[in-house]
């Protein structure tokens, strides 16, 4: 597969302390994706590509936190007024906290856009393109269209949530969509969700690559 690096965006999804070992919603092996992401970012930037990062950015008492609901535990699913089937999570990525900060080893120099999502108390956002009502845009689509981006490479956390929803939206929007397999990790809640996400991404025509491909 070939793509024009100058028309390619690397999207670094939610590489934040709360999703890394020691965080409140730690993804196993999350720290092992940082070097592959940094390498990709540096080589893509050298070839004229663009780099954007997302940050999960919730207000305290966010609707996706189990602690915001009476008698609910993390891992349960509820229906909210805006979203059917909202998974409840431990409190994570609260705006301005160290848990919401990027991992200290993530190379941010080449990042020219940071999209913060999930900042509305009553609405969660997994995808970097649309919030979980599946309608409210984050602005990423407009930004990359105005730059003439044709290909988006997905990296970061988590394969079965934010990476999955971002990649599926990206493909639906008509961009050539690639997941960098060695630069993503999943949470696996509920069990099997990573495998299910990979299967549906592949059957939607999303490509998977690994190694030194930029
Ligand atoms: C995410 C669960 C809750 C993610 C964000 O980044 O995949 N997962 N909030
Ligand atoms: Zn979140």
């Amino acid at each position: 597969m070939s793509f024009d690096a100058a028309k390619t965006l690397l999207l670094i999804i939610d590489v934040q302390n709360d999703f890394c070992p020691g965080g409140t919603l730690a993804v196993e092996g999350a720290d092992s994706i940082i070097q592959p992401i940094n390498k990709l970012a540096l080589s893509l930037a050298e070839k004229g590509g663009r780099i954007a990062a997302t940050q999960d950015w919730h207000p305290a008492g966010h609707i996706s936190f189990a602690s915001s609901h009476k008698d609910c535990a993390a891992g349960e699913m509820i229906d909210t007024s805006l979203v059917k089937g909202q998974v409840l999570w431990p409190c994570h990525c609260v705006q301005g906290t160290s848990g919401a900060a990027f991992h200290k080893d993530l190379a941010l120099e080449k990042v020219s856009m940071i999209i913060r999502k999930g900042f509305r108390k009553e609405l969660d956002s997994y995808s970097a393109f649309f919030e979980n009502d599946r309608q409210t845009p984050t602005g990423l689509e407009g930004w990359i269209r105005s730059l003439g981006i044709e290909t988006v490479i997905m990296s970061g956390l988590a394969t079965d949530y934010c990476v999955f929803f971002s990649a599926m939206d990206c493909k639906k929007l008509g961009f050539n969509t690639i997941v960098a397999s060695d630069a993503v990790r999943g949470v696996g809640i509920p069990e099997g969700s990573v495998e299910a996400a990979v299967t549906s991404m592949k059957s939607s025509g999303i490509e998977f690559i690994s190694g030194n491909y930029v």
Side-chain angles (χ1 to χ4, degrees):
M1 163 230 345
S2 68
F3 52 87
D4 180 352
K7 292 181 179 169
T8 297
L9 174 83
L10 171 68
L11 189 57
I12 305 172
I13 298 171
D14 297 1
V15 182
Q16 295 166 263
N17 292 326
D18 273 341
F19 295 126
C20 293
T24 58
L25 182 35
V27 176
E28 208 183 310
D31 36 6
S32 69
I33 67 174
I34 292 170
Q35 287 322 310
I37 293 174
N38 289 349
K39 254 176 104 174
L40 262 176
L42 293 177
S43 56
L44 187 61
E46 241 166 52
K47 296 187 166 93
R50 299 295 290 260
I51 327 292
T54 64
Q55 246 176 332
D56 212 33
W57 198 251
H58 301 313
H62 190 249
I63 196 154
S64 74
F65 300 166
S67 54
S68 306
H69 304 271
K70 202 171 167 282
D71 300 326
C72 284
E76 280 178 34
M77 226 194 257
I78 61 160
D79 292 338
T80 73
S81 60
L82 296 171
V83 176
K84 211 171 162 280
Q86 168 72 51
V87 179
L88 296 179
W89 303 103
C91 178
H92 65 279
C93 297
V94 174
Q95 297 170 356
T97 63
S98 58
F102 290 113
H103 189 287
K104 66 174 177 35
D105 297 331
L106 186 67
L108 293 169
E109 308 88 74
K110 305 299 180 193
V111 171
S112 57
M113 172 64 100
I114 294 175
I115 306 271
R116 287 175 167 169
K117 58 182 183 59
F119 54 80
R120 292 180 175 84
K121 199 168 183 177
E122 305 304 326
L123 181 59
D124 201 4
S125 183
Y126 294 144
S127 167
F129 291 95
F130 297 99
E131 301 192 34
N132 284 8
D133 61 358
R134 313 309 301 132
Q135 290 175 21
T136 308
T138 62
L140 179 61
E141 180 192 359
W143 184 66
I144 65 178
R145 283 209 199 281
S146 70
L147 295 175
I149 296 293
E150 293 174 350
T151 296
V152 181
I153 301 175
M154 302 284 164
S155 65
L157 306 166
T159 313
D160 38 350
Y161 287 93
C162 292
V163 172
F164 172 71
F165 282 94
S166 299
M168 295 295 275
D169 282 347
C170 190
K171 182 72 188 174
K172 258 181 247 153
L173 290 169
F175 298 100
N176 180 28
T177 306
I178 299 171
V179 174
S181 340
D182 54 343
V184 296
R185 285 292 182 283
V187 285
I189 297 171
E191 216 188 300
S193 63
V194 176
E195 294 75 9
V198 170
T199 302
S200 46
M201 286 190 277
K202 285 184 174 163
S203 60
S204 306
I206 294 165
E207 295 184 66
F208 283 69
I209 50 179
S210 69
N212 208 5
Y213 34 78
V214 175

